[in-house]
Amino acid sequence: MIATLGLAALWLAAALAALQLLGGFLALRSPENPLAMAVRPIAVVQGGLVAVAMICLVVVFCQTDLSVLLVAMNSHSAKPLLYKFAGAWGNHEGSMLLWVTIMAMAGGFVALVERRLPEPTILATLAAQAFVSLGFYAFLLFASNPFTRLDPVPVEGQGLNPLLQDPGLAFHPPTLYIGYVGLSIAFSFAVGALLTRAVSPTFARAMRPWVLGAWIFLTLGITFGSYWAYYELGWGGWWFWDPVENASLMPWLAATALLHSVSVLAARNALRAWTVMLGVVAFSMSMVGTFLVRSGILISVHAFAVDPTRGQFILALLAINIGAALTIFALRAATVTEGERFALTSREGALVFNNVMLTGALGIVLIGTLYPLVAETMGAQVSVGPPYFNPATAIFVLPMLVVLAIGPLLRWRRDSMGRIGKLLLAPLALGVVALGLFALQPIHLLPLLGLGLAAALVVATLIPLWGRNLRTLKLPTWGMVMAHFGVALALAGMASDSAFTSEKLVAANVGDKVELGPWSITFDRVEPVPGPNWTALEATLHASYAGGEPIELKPQARAFWSPPQPTTESALATRWNGQLYTVLGEQAEDGRWQLRLWWKPFVTLIWLGGMLVALGGFLALLGRVASDLRRLVAIDKIAYRRTRQGR
Amino acid sequence: MNSPIKAKHQRLVLVLVALAALIGAGLLAAWALRSQASYFYLPAEMAANPPEVGRAVRLGGMVEAGSIKRDTDGVTIRFVITDGKARVPVRFKGIVPDLFKENSGAVAEGKRGADGVFVADNLLAKHDEKYVPREMKDMTAGQARQTVEETK
């Protein structure tokens, strides 16, 4: 019953999307067309209907309604409620429904609140949004229907991949998807502005909150996903350059570039065509990511099902959407007039550098991710890993981070290095001292550069606050400083993790003591423990840092019974200066247990930095939205007074 | 270049800078991929045409029955990966993946040592029906065919 309701809502929403596209298209010709007037309400209702469909899916998962194929394939009545709930998107069909839900709701939200731009531009934007949505509706309804029924109804479901049975599943996919799909708004704005020849600072100011919002969620999603992989996979790493991780990194790189170029367009009316182009590229990267993850050409914990027709469907969608957008861009780029001029040494110049370097890094990641797929079609099986990605991206990212220290200090339009040189002396000195100190230790080149740069950046990113009245400083400025400071912290964490991690792999008897860096770890016992849908062997360790109070750690080797699959659950001890990471391996024939231990100084700064970056974005968004609201209220007041005077 | 460049030229300069960066990224990627991409080998390929010592590659095949031996340190294991045509001895120090066992497929990431032993930094095993290393998908199908032919 509920499944039927969900499917009906989905079909209705798809029909409304078609109507929305038609209405937006007619509006391009005659804005007074009645259907054109209905575009905004249609977009809102469409968003509501898809939300109903998504809620229906969550409900059938929570009820474990096994007459729904998807539930039978991916759920189990003994699963804890949290995973029944989150399991709704822990599979291919459900995650695509979540994608469409966020896309339609974002469109509805734009229709509801966006009043700054000329009406034709908004209608064209909503038409573009409907165009993209329609493709995904078709994909959902014809190739990945989440509400397909199963007859006869099975007695029990097959369960959820145990690696996904973690509270992280409740937050990570929705967060990342809001980011991915939020970029579709930037894409539609770009197309809408091109179609109606309205690329202007107003357009940039209207687009900026959406880009910011999507980017905040992407940042959070990536930060969180990285931490999840770190503790769940038990390999002690936080980034693997796995194609699926790259699929989330590429939109982030593009969105970061877009975020900075849209600021230039809003403040200085420059980089016009480039900003529009980035809007198209950013969402294209989201779709490339979806294609990689959802097509089944990759086999990973993220790729739920292998079905080649789905891959072709998404590839076709990708080609149509990107192709159409690029065609419009090519046809209209000439009408986007030249922006304001600026000198090389200026805020704009620094932001152009940032954009170019981010695009370069994006190219490196894109090529490295797609290369194995291309090579495979030519008969060679290749994998591309950290030895390629680390140095190749660093070539672009490290210079960009140097400019990150300088750019925020520069004035718009024209400036000189002489003016800001003095300010940069302190961070420069700190960076050089750090480099000198760490160079004495056996550290590889990249982490060494990272440490030196991080030391300089921690100070340099705070200089924009120097000499300012902190009480009157605007929120977006606070946000920028905080986000840049977060980048410095994250860089410090990454460099420290690769430079100073100590690792030990031992076979230990119960009662043994292991020394690792400043830690002394006692292996107390191993005992079986039961869980709701697993049983585990749990080790108890007592770790003491530099002779201090011992901390208890309980790493587990879990055996899930539906589906039957073993997983390792790491146990972490977090201190202000790093994390102790412990994994329990198997028992050898002689009765000894394998223990793998890592001491990772300051590794937590990576995620703390990531959170600060997102929080900085949030402050900026808050500041922008607040000032927009104030302006709207002021305009309304003036309009109100005028009508009264006119009477 | 402290004075604003002429408007027309500025756009051109920006386009050229962006193009240069992208082409640079492309060239860099091509060069780095040539030297850093790690190729996949079956034991027979590795025997016929061994990769340079120390070059990162992946080796995939079946873990030979009865070949898994543990060193006295308790954490180093030695085993043999085979494809029915050739055998490559492998050494691995670490916690083996959960579903790593004899007569089952595995992919070892690592380098060939000078002594001919493949030193694995990482082992990938079949995780469940839904998570198989990419190379093993075809491999196990191929091996199934081969087994059928051998038993004919």
Side-chain angles (χ1 to χ4, degrees), chain A residues 101-161:
Chain A
T101 306
I102 295 169
M103 194 161 197
M105 286 178 69
F109 196 37
V110 170
L112 208 56
V113 302
E114 195 55 68
R115 306 259 166 221
R116 266 167 302 192
L117 289 177
E119 194 63 11
T121 308
I122 286 294
L123 296 186
T125 300
L126 289 174
Q129 186 78 3
F131 181 80
V132 180
S133 302
L134 263 181
F136 284 96
Y137 279 121
F139 180 58
L140 208 55
L141 289 167
F142 300 127
S144 337
N145 184 353
F147 295 110
T148 305
R149 305 307 281 266
L150 193 58
D151 189 32
V153 175
V155 195
E156 192 46 273
Q158 295 185 0
L160 175 70
N161 182 346

Side-chain angles (χ1 to χ4, degrees), chain A residues 299-300 336 338 341-343 345 356 364 371 376 381-384 387-388 414 505-507 565-566 586 588 592 594, chain B residues 4-5 7 10-11 21 25 29 32 36-40 58 70 72-75 94 98 127-128 131-132 134-135:
Chain A
I299 314 271
S300 90
V336 179
E338 176 74 40
R341 286 174 278 167
F342 53 86
T345 317
V356 169
I364 290 288
Y371 180 70
E376 195 167 345
Q381 284 190 322
V382 174
S383 78
V384 179
Y388 162 79
R414 188 195 300 195
L505 177 69
V506 292
Q565 182 178 327
E586 59 181 9
R592 289 186 298 174
Q594 287 187 344
Chain B
I5 315 159
Q10 176 151 322
R11 181 176 252 191
Q36 300 294 357
S38 78
Y39 285 82
F40 179 77
R58 307 172 119 204
R70 197 183 298 268
T72 46
D73 68 356
V75 289
D98 300 317
H127 223 115
D128 64 19
Y131 184 26
V132 189
R134 196 155 52 91
E135 294 88 350

